[in-house]
Amino acid sequence: LEASQTDLEALATGSTGQTELNKGSLLEMRVELPDRSTQEQCVRLLKSVNEVLAIAEQTSTSARALRYALLQQTINSPTQLPRPESAE
């Protein structure tokens, strides 16, 4: 990857402080990819991570909804919450 970065930087043009890359130069550049097995392993891993993130988001949303409902119930309820027992 570092070699590719050096190659890309060598293709950069522009004098206004904004780097530009010529499309033709990019099309001629060779990009090495990992073998098919490694690509498939990466896909499986990323799918698993996405599933975990989706579950975490769903859990977080459910927890926020529960917190909101409990706060509303506490605020609107004339019943007082029991006081915690003191440690002796």
Side-chain angles (χ1 to χ4, degrees):
L1 290 177
E2 289 179 23
S4 296
Q5 180 177 350
T6 304
D7 293 342
L8 282 172
E9 289 172 352
L11 298 174
T13 61
S15 59
T16 61
Q18 180 174 347
T19 303
E20 297 177 9
L21 296 171
N22 180 298
K23 182 179 178 180
S25 297
L26 285 175
L27 290 173
E28 293 175 10
M29 191 171 195
R30 182 183 170 132
V31 177
E32 293 187 31
L33 299 174
D35 61 78
R36 182 72 173 194
S37 174
T38 302
Q39 291 179 41
E40 290 170 352
Q41 186 178 6
C42 288
V43 168
R44 284 192 302 274
L45 177 64
L46 291 173
K47 281 184 178 181
S48 295
V49 169
N50 285 337
E51 289 171 6
V52 169
L53 290 173
I55 291 168
E57 179 62 31
Q58 185 177 16
T59 302
S60 177
T61 300
S62 297
R64 280 194 298 273
L66 179 60
R67 180 188 66 187
Y68 179 79
L70 289 172
L71 285 172
Q72 288 298 314
Q73 182 180 355
T74 302
I75 291 169
N76 296 327
S77 173
T79 307
Q80 292 185 359
L81 295 174
R83 292 178 184 250
E85 295 180 20
S86 61
E88 295 181 30

